[in-house]
Amino acid sequence: MTNRFNSATSRWRLLILSLGILCVLTMPTLAARFLHLIIVQSGQTNLQASYSSGDRTPVENVWRDLKEPPCFGSEERLTHITPDPQQTNRAVLTGDITLKLLHVDRVLAQVKLDRLELTRPEGQPQGWHLTAAEVERTAKLAGFSEPCLYLDPMVLQPVLWGILLLVLAGFGTRRLWRFLKD
């Protein structure tokens, strides 16, 4: 009986296995930042809400996420927010307002305003967050440019490794197929 697998095939298998192990070992770690949005009105903290983002996501992109409701159950109203009588899912804060985005105790972004519009899901007592227009307006005031294209390493690296492994497996399979045909 002849040996159908020569040392070249074994080397290809070893190379693909080694690259697979390298891929797993060099994957970036999964990490998330828990962020706090704090709205201070006339020196009093009016609202605290929690958000999350990837640990490497640029602040410009995280700021744009403020138009979404905060993480479930994370909102804490420290003073009363009075909704608009005509639109109960909207509220307008006026006066000396400071909007802060923090990670632990580090301020990532801060904006001072004299007017701020908030919205919440229809019929919900909680979930206050910035309107989409307010997010864009405050982003400009904070000095942020347009959101940048951000390719998260958690997505990009496995895709690149997968492509490399498929290419190498294709070359190895072609060689193995030719060997088996002969």
Side-chain angles (χ1 to χ4, degrees):
M1 178 173 224
T2 61
N3 184 4
R4 295 187 139 227
F5 296 100
N6 62 14
S7 62
T9 305
S10 298
R11 279 183 277 173
W12 272 106
R13 285 183 174 175
L14 183 61
L15 177 65
I16 292 170
L17 178 66
S18 300
L19 284 173
I21 291 171
L22 182 66
C23 174
V24 170
L25 293 177
T26 60
M27 289 282 294
T29 57
L30 290 172
R33 281 190 296 199
F34 291 103
L35 307 171
H36 300 285
L37 174 68
I38 298 176
I39 299 174
V40 179
Q41 183 181 20
S42 302
Q44 281 191 318
T45 301
N46 196 341
L47 178 76
Q48 289 183 355
S50 297
Y51 290 85
S52 67
S53 76
D55 65 336
R56 296 183 181 124
T57 306
V59 178
E60 297 89 7
N61 292 11
V62 173
W63 191 269
R64 294 326 196 272
D65 292 339
L66 298 179
K67 63 185 157 210
E68 301 298 326
C71 297
F72 177 73
S74 68
E75 176 187 318
E76 183 179 344
R77 286 181 288 169
L78 302 174
T79 61
H80 187 65
I81 295 175
T82 307
D84 185 349
Q86 278 79 33
Q87 292 180 302
T88 57
N89 64 330
R90 297 229 178 237
V92 177
L93 303 178
T94 57
D96 182 28
I97 300 169
T98 304
L99 197 60
K100 293 180 189 178
L101 185 64
L102 295 106
H103 175 245
V104 187
D105 59 351
R106 192 179 101 221
V107 177
L108 298 177
Q110 181 172 325
V111 178
K112 293 195 179 284
L113 310 159
D114 55 3
R115 183 177 192 281
L116 183 66
E117 290 183 32
L118 299 174
T119 188
R120 66 180 171 186
E122 194 67 47
Q124 298 287 327
Q126 293 189 325
W128 289 107
H129 57 278
L130 279 67
T131 63
E134 284 294 277
V135 168
E136 292 306 317
R137 183 177 76 92
T138 56
K140 288 177 185 165
L141 291 172
F144 296 137
S145 59
E146 291 298 315
C148 58
L149 176 63
Y150 175 68
L151 298 173
D152 191 355
M154 290 302 300
V155 174
L156 188 61
Q157 189 174 10
V159 168
L160 293 175
W161 277 114
I163 290 169
L164 179 64
L165 285 173
L166 285 174
V167 167
L168 289 176
F171 284 129
T173 305
R174 196 173 333 149
R175 281 185 145 185
L176 179 62
W177 184 253
R178 270 191 253 139
F179 178 75
L180 292 173
K181 277 181 137 181
D182 293 338

